[in-house]
Amino acid sequence: MTPLRRLLVASVACAALTATAAQAQRGADGQLNIIYWQAPSTMNPFLSGGTKEVEASSMVLEPLASYDNDGNIVPRLAVQLPTVENRGVSPDLKTITWDLKPGIKWSDGTDFTAEDAVFTWKYCTAPDGGCAQASYFEGVANMEAVDALTLKITFDEPKPFPYTALVGAESPIIQKKQFENCMGAKAPECTAQNFNPIGTGPFVVKEFRANDVITLEANPNYREADKPRFQTVLFKGGGDAASAARSVLETGEFDYAWNLQIEPEVLTRMEAAGKGKVVSAFATSVERILMNFTNPDPALGPDDRSVYKADGSNPHPILNDVRVRKALSMAIDRPLLTEIGYGRTGRPVCNVLPGPEQYASTANDGCLVQDIEGAKKLLDEAGWVPGADGVRVKDGRRLSLLYQTSTNSVRQSFQSLIKQWWAELGVETELRNISASVFFGGDPASPDTFQKFYSDVEMYTNNFSGVDPEAYMAQWRCDDIPGPSTQWQGSNINRYCNPEYDALTVQMSKTADLNERAELAKKMNDVLMQDYVLLPLIYRSGTSAHSNTLGGVRMNDWDSELWNIADWHRVK
Amino acid sequence: MTEATLAEQGMKAHHSLWGDVWRQFRAHRGAMAGSAVFLFIVLGVTVGPYIHSIDPQYLDMRARNAGISWAHPFGTDNVGRDMLAQVMAGGRVSLAVGFAAMLVSIVIGALVGVLAGYLRRLDGPLMRLTDLFLALPILPLLLVILLLFRDTLRSLFGPEAGIFLLIVFVIGITSWMQTARIVRGEVLALKEREFVLAAKSIGTRGHRIITRHLLPNVLSPIMVSATIGIANAIITESALSFLGLGFPPDFPTWGRLLYDGKDFMTLTPERVIWPGLAISLTVLSVNFIGDGLRDALDPRIRGR
Amino acid sequence: MARYALRRLLIAIPTLLAISFIIFALLDLAPSDPTANLPLTIPPEVREKIRLSLGMGEPFVVRYFKWLEQFMVNEPLNVLEQWTGWTIGDSENRLRVLSWATRSPVVDLIVERLPQTLWVVGMSYVIAVVIAVPIGVISAYRQYSLFDQIGTFISMLGFSIPTFFTGLLLIVIFSVWLGWLPSIYDTTHVVRDWDSFVFQVKQMIMPTMVLALANASQISRFMRASMLDNLTQDYVRTARAKGLRERVVVLTHVLRNSLIPVVTVIALGVPTIFGGAIITEQIFRVNGIGQLLIIGIEGADIPLVQTLTFIFAILIVLFNLIADLIYGMLDPRIRYD
């Protein structure tokens, strides 16, 4: 390296990171210890789809573009973000052309080209492969490498938001040379490749022990000469969230701990030990209570119980009245729930679509204040009058609800709290919890899945990946209601059907302008909220902790938390 | 001799035998201390809720993570539930699980052990069965049974009784094998002993040999097994809760309370200490009782 | 004796086949879904495709025999090839038991984790036996002495306090407050010199001791009970009457006889070493076999759980046989023929 170039490199590093400009050199900061209490089972995100695998692989594999900590799309392997203005996206919205950065090399030293991107698409859409990220490639009619550095993606129909395929940590690019013989049904047999993928990212896998520990080294061919700052990464898994937090915040054995879903007072106390910091970032996760719009009466047969009938013949006997739904919402003290269950890592919320910021409505914020008296009045109006034992009755029917959720101590505390508030209204609540693997498992034979919704209300968290809410908001369309005819598949778990709402979703799928899209999304959110289709409770963040000696962490819930691990460094 | 006098004599002999046992038992200081502690715990969890009458499921939002006070002698948890009430409610479940599961396991274990040891015909098949059960890895089996039958039992007996029966059954059915093997070993050795051979030679029937000569002599290992059984059942139940396979979070047992409290260990240590202490003290006292019983029931020690 | 052993071995085969069927069927019946833990953002159609790619669409019998062939024939052949370097048949395309979560051969996962489990759990078991036998012997010999009282009390404590209570307590005291010992077991650590050896010892102390305490308590209870039974037997009186020295009476006659049931208990406990100590491994993050099993159960990784449980089953059957044979060797009164 000539003195001049060294100077140049140093000044570039200086601009990026003033703090450690003096030792801005690849591998200068030694070892980084990361703990994920759920350990990754593979390094191939296409074969797993779990968050832990996606995040672990994001140290090695990279997409064309990522989301930064504010939810903006930032180019990574691409030169810039293609838009209609810069002619990267065709005026008919059917093609997008990505220009790749020149000179990028895979960690084995070979050149990264558009062919690899095309291959990744073929790999994930190959039949029998069971690719977990296939939904990112939905609507892609063709991908071609125009030349080594130009990738052209053609869609079946106009795609107002074309940044899905190969954007974000869930759909990174894998090397064609390495995975060529691992297509389709052969994918799982390529253990060596799946455990040790060649990537363009800042690190390379040195040793992968499934569900235990991963050791990684700095990628010698990484495109930025002075990064990553750490020479090795020890990525440990196992245990539980509390002990992971302890190992960073109290004992200081690790530098970074992920997904610390523990009671807020415990976290605060651990942080008080002074060895590290808790960081959280909000994206789109909302803990919500869903209202069932169909009758879940156990006396009904399998073809009727919780099954939506287009002629409206099977409505919920209690919850089809919006006043009841509203009363149930008004009785809930969301700030208190947040304080008890989440602390700083959550916020009370009144929208099902809380982010990104330009999509968040402010029309419903009245729900933040608990109003038991108002709720009681509403129920009186609806004709539910208190009976002898305090439970309200109407036409001989008791106001009694079955409330189910997955087994989890925070959720059970929420259940008992909400039960107590509803009891003040004169609503009787029976609580039920189901183990998460059954509740969220898609077994059509099980009566306990959240899709079957064999209860009056149910509670869980949902979110969407990326920043575009189109698919997420389209969940409440009439034609997406789960039922026996669709093997209980379908995302409209509420069984909500409103033609007006459907019209809005159609409109959104044809609108390209981002501002107009935001307005539409807000409108849809408000329809759902003002109809009390579901009761949002908590806006949940991704929460992690890092030691005081680790710098450069920019907590991100839109993409992998490790999205900028190349910039992480040791603070002396 | 009439039947009445026979019964009377039996009663008398019986009475004095247990009188001896009781005398010996009383001499065992550990056993007496254990009995006192155990009685206290049993009374505490049964009568206690009538004295300290807070609903264990009531959430008192103003008193979260509270320390020791008159209103909450054991403090409260992070959603304001009274710990003493929870420990008492949990204790009833844990003790009931412990006893019931122990009974199931001891009855099966002793039956299989005696039959296998005494009747050569049955020895092979019964021991293969024992091997089979021993070879069935307990944990996945527990999980699978819990998953498979949870809902059936839930609809038959209600959510609480259903899961209770299931856990008792599951712990009982997976823990009798050690008892069976030990009892069989004892019986195998016993039946070659002179007094059994003598009883056989005068034509005593099989079932009488078992009840008169073998069972009393294997009572001591069965007692040791029974105490271990109760202890194990309580610990297994808490271990299941620890792994998330036991009782659900809204259904307090000592194990569940301990598990829920473990993250709060440095913040409100009461949450770990009380249920932990309750488990440990119960198991400890049961073990001491078993120890005393063992000595008291052993005719060779008794009267020394 | 040899004939008896052979017969038992032969009987073990149908037993194991029965067990393999029970395990496979039970786990297969369990309502679990390997895609349940995936984020809800993954749509149902994709989940269905994942399930199909895992082979869940095939009928039960086909899957059972496939698994049986993979486990009983293919895996042993692989092991043989690795040991000897031979190539038997079409080894490239031989199907192995694949885990659903990692998509890698289950046996490789187990082999990877065996060392740490054997070190920690095995060591704790050895320590437990070494401590427990003398304590049990002395406690029984000096029944009701101070030693007996203290020994009994400590073993009762060890036995009464659940391992996750002691484990957590130790972590809070030694890792959080005092900062002496690491709370997380580093499975990648290699012992090269004195310092790394010290580190290895340090990270093993807590999990090993927690387990050893629990195991030693159990074994010493059995040892004491068994010694007490034998000390009052007539043959002891006879031996003493013959004028044998007390040492010989206790250590040769009584101990030998007392060990019979204890050896059974110890032998029966050996398979649990391989099974790992699930709770302890979880607390100290010794990512061994027990932890693998828990991950498999949580993630509904059925092939992994099936294979692991079946391997445990084999070990248990084997050690049962061993326990019985030792029983026969130690106690001549037992006739096997």
Side-chain angles (χ1 to χ4, degrees), chain A residues 118-138:
Chain A
V118 174
F119 171 77
T120 303
W121 165 64
K122 285 184 180 151
Y123 176 84
C124 189
T125 50
D128 304 326
C131 175
Q133 311 296 357
S135 59
Y136 284 85
F137 298 95
E138 217 174 70

Side-chain angles (χ1 to χ4, degrees), chain A residues 174-192:
Chain A
I174 52 175
Q175 195 193 32
K176 181 178 179 184
K177 198 176 95 191
Q178 192 187 17
F179 281 92
E180 220 160 12
N181 295 320
C182 300
M183 303 269 281
K186 294 197 91 169
E189 287 164 38
C190 295
T191 309

Side-chain angles (χ1 to χ4, degrees), chain A residues 386-424:
Chain A
D389 58 350
V391 177
R392 287 174 190 264
V393 191
K394 182 182 175 183
D395 307 333
R397 177 183 284 279
R398 288 161 66 82
L399 185 36
S400 176
L401 300 172
L402 176 62
Y403 177 4
Q404 72 179 16
T405 187
S406 70
T407 308
N408 166 313
S409 68
V410 174
R411 290 209 166 112
Q412 265 72 73
S413 304
F414 276 24
Q415 273 188 318
S416 14
L417 264 169
I418 290 170
K419 179 184 178 173
Q420 219 159 295
W421 288 324
W422 286 354
E424 287 182 47

